Amino acid sequence: MPQTKSNPAPAALEVRGLTKRYPAFTLDHVGLTVPAGSIVGLIGENGAGKSTTLNAVLGVVRPDEGDIRLYGRRQEKWTGADRARLGVVVDGGGYPDALTPDRLGRVLGDCYPGWRPDRYADLLARLGLPGGQKIKSFSKGMRAKLALAAAMSREAQLLVMDEPTSGLDPVVRDDILDLLLEFVQDENHAVLVSSHITADLEKAADSIVFLHGGRTLFQKPIDELRDRYGILQCGAAQFQALNKKDILAWRKLDYAWQVLVPDREAAAQKYKNAAVDAASIDDILLLYVKGETP
Amino acid sequence: MKGLLRKDLYLIGAALPLACLAILVGGGCLSILVSANVFIVIAPVVFGLMALTTINTDRRVGWGRLAVTLPGGAPRAIAGKYLLYLLLSAAGLLTGVLAALLGTALLEGFGADTFGIFLAIGLTLPLLSGAVGLPAAFLLGEDQSMIVAMLTYPLISALFVGMVFAIGSVLPAAAALTALSAAAFALSWALAVRLLPRRDVR
């Protein structure tokens, strides 16, 4: 079917109202969109629900409520062909230690009809991974690279990655980010990646989904967060005088208030005596998690 | 399915020499004490246990999560384990039968009735144990699932003795229990493929 304005191409991944109840935690109506051709970063404190969200997307946990669509197809109706469009990279790789990359390639070649052994061999060589060496001798970085090489050597269109860069040195992280950026050069491809390393997301992601306490706080383009959000530092009197509509979150430090504002230029103009600086994703995360909201 | 089996066979390949040594030493000693036919019981049980351990290995390394996302999804991943268990148990049974035939020829002379009883036990033990142990391995943690698998062996032995007393003859009881265990394994397979994918992957 041709894509028109009235019939736009479906997002690579659409999650609506995703709910999963555990005795001690509830993922509460989480929603997010991963447009085709983009990288979406999933952030939040430990226990915010990132892994549960990704596991629900992958079908590892079964949601109590909600709608998950992969390129417009509801999860309940996914076939093998739909699942083949998913590439998965989990922390630690997920591949048995006793295998070698060469053997893993043969296993995955039997599992996926669209497996590309030439592409896999190229990626192993490019990433410096020895094909005949057992995975148990691999460093964490090598395992992460192997998982990515395996996910990118077939017809996967959406990569779902759970903390792929955690515990890796900056060089390996940079290699992985390069591969992700290369992957989304194809406008039908997309990446959903959870990470605690927000610097990586600032480099590669197009938008950020922020989960807090099992709920989606927001999904915003990274440019908006980077270019518009700001941290306003002020004293008690000035804080009381702030228009509450200008405040997204605040935090009281020893002698000052830190206030997250959605438009730092407007805030700087309006509150001339206050210092307004750019906000990093870490700043935003900290203020929402450790601070208060209006 | 082929890829899943290939992966598991790669894993098992590393443990195979040790398993064969265990069968040889255990079976060899019991052959001298009891009968060389014990190979028919020991070999399929040891081979079947190797299939069970792959489920726990998968869980430990995170493959269990990945397997659900493969084109065949959770039902095929579960069916793959049942098939692996059946193939390994069959390979164990064949190995055990060959070892028993060789052993009895060398040590005691072949006895059709004794061989038949051991063959029935060699079929019953892995099938009934697998019918319980495989779903337990998916549902429970590593330690608990191994305990369940181990507990099935004395229970099956008790069941066997009970059947013999109920029917009044060993060979018909052995045949009946073999048929029952085959049916239990098939039922377990059918239910597991249908019901286990409805649960979260542990």
Side-chain angles (χ1 to χ4, degrees):
Chain A
M1 193 187 295
Q3 307 300 337
T4 63
K5 273 192 173 177
S6 58
N7 176 29
L13 180 72
E14 189 90 40
V15 176
R16 290 286 163 258
L18 176 62
T19 301
K20 179 73 181 174
R21 296 179 192 91
Y22 294 104
F25 171 74
T26 298
L27 191 70
D28 191 3
H29 293 89
V30 162
L32 61 92
T33 303
V34 183
S38 74
I39 298 176
V40 173
L42 190 58
I43 63 168
E45 74 279 11
N46 285 337
K50 301 186 295 294
S51 292
T52 306
T53 300
L54 295 185
N55 283 336
V57 167
L58 297 175
V60 173
V61 302
R62 300 181 69 81
D64 295 320
E65 291 171 40
D67 183 27
I68 297 170
R69 290 171 191 252
L70 181 68
Y71 293 93
R73 293 264 296 176
R74 290 188 65 153
Q75 194 180 44
E76 298 80 21
K77 295 184 175 173
W78 286 0
T79 61
D82 293 310
R83 271 190 289 272
R85 297 172 93 174
L86 273 177
V88 184
V89 178
V90 296
D91 189 16
Y95 298 119
D97 285 352
L99 295 186
T100 64
D102 286 344
R103 286 185 163 185
L104 177 65
R106 285 194 280 277
V107 167
L108 296 177
D110 287 339
C111 291
Y112 289 103
W115 181 252
R116 293 164 58 191
D118 49 340
R119 165 89 172 141
Y120 182 63
D122 284 350
L123 281 169
L124 290 185
R126 184 174 148 193
L127 297 170
L129 297 170
Q133 200 171 310
K134 284 194 176 171
I135 294 170
K136 72 176 167 195
S137 67
F138 280 16
S139 66
K140 196 166 184 192
M142 291 166 86
R143 286 168 192 253
K145 286 180 182 178
L146 176 64
L148 197 53
M152 291 173 72
S153 298
R154 50 190 180 81
E155 306 297 314
Q157 290 178 291
L158 172 68
L159 288 186
V160 176
M161 310 174 79
D162 193 1
E163 302 283 353
T165 57
S166 77
L168 304 183
D169 69 54
V171 178
V172 177
R173 278 165 37 208
D174 201 55
D175 287 345
I176 287 174
L177 294 181
D178 283 347
L179 280 172
L180 294 187
L181 291 168
E182 189 184 310
F183 181 75
V184 291
Q185 290 302 304
D186 184 326
E187 61 185 20
N188 289 318
H189 288 178
V191 178
L192 174 62
V193 52
S194 81
S195 181
H196 280 114
I197 305 174
T198 52
D200 290 347
L201 297 179
E202 289 192 59
K203 267 189 211 169
D206 297 289
S207 67
I208 294 289
V209 177
F210 185 1
L211 296 185
H212 176 44
R215 293 175 175 219
T216 314
L217 272 188
F218 61 71
Q219 175 165 8
K220 299 246 181 229
I222 195 104
D223 291 344
E224 183 179 333
L225 297 175
R226 197 168 38 206
D227 300 341
R228 300 195 66 186
Y229 273 45
I231 304 282
L232 183 149
Q233 310 263 5
C234 62
Q238 205 168 16
F239 177 74
Q240 295 303 329
L242 293 178
N243 185 340
K244 295 291 178 274
K245 285 181 183 168
D246 294 332
I247 299 174
L248 293 172
W250 77 86
R251 187 178 172 201
K252 186 181 179 305
L253 303 176
D254 286 345
Y255 301 105
W257 269 256
Q258 270 191 339
V259 182
L260 183 67
V261 292
D263 187 336
R264 67 172 177 266
E265 281 183 20
Q269 296 244 326
K270 196 168 174 182
Y271 307 109
K272 293 198 184 300
N273 294 330
V276 186
D277 300 313
S280 67
I281 293 178
D282 273 343
D283 293 330
I284 296 168
L285 195 147
L286 271 175
L287 269 157
Y288 270 115
V289 173
K290 299 187 87 173
E292 295 173 63
T293 49
Chain B
M1 191 81 88
K2 191 178 158 195
L4 295 170
L5 287 175
R6 186 195 282 270
K7 189 270 298 174
D8 285 333
L9 292 175
Y10 279 142
L11 293 188
I12 285 164
L16 198 58
L18 197 64
C20 288
L21 185 69
I23 292 167
L24 196 66
V25 173
C29 293
L30 287 173
S31 295
I32 295 163
L33 293 173
V34 186
S35 163
N37 285 309
V38 293
F39 278 110
I40 304 172
V41 177
I42 293 175
V45 167
V46 172
F47 274 51
L49 275 177
M50 286 198 294
L52 281 183
T53 60
T54 64
I55 298 174
N56 288 318
T57 306
D58 287 353
R59 182 183 294 132
R60 212 166 37 238
V61 300
W63 174 267
R65 277 174 85 190
L66 294 184
V68 172
T69 68
L70 292 173
R76 195 173 296 176
I78 293 162
K81 293 298 181 188
Y82 273 83
L83 183 59
L84 176 77
Y85 185 89
L86 205 57
L87 290 174
L88 282 175
S89 298
L93 189 69
L94 186 66
T95 309
V97 165
L98 292 175
L101 289 175
L102 185 69
T104 49
L106 289 173
L107 296 172
E108 59 204 89
F110 181 74
D113 281 2
T114 315
F115 179 81
I117 291 166
F118 273 97
L119 186 63
I121 299 171
L123 282 164
T124 301
L125 269 185
L127 285 173
L128 266 185
S129 172
V132 178
L134 282 163
F138 283 111
L139 291 169
L140 305 174
E142 187 167 354
D143 296 340
Q144 290 164 308
S145 64
M146 287 315 282
I147 290 168
V148 168
M150 296 294 181
L151 281 177
T152 55
Y153 299 122
L155 290 175
I156 294 164
S157 306
L159 187 63
F160 190 82
V161 173
M163 289 281 276
V164 170
F165 277 114
I167 293 175
S169 177
V170 178
L171 269 177
L177 199 58
T178 304
L180 183 72
S181 60
F185 189 83
L187 182 68
S188 170
W189 187 333
L191 289 176
V193 168
R194 207 179 172 84
L195 299 178
L196 288 179
R198 295 182 192 171
R199 298 175 56 95
D200 297 344
V201 175
R202 284 172 60 93

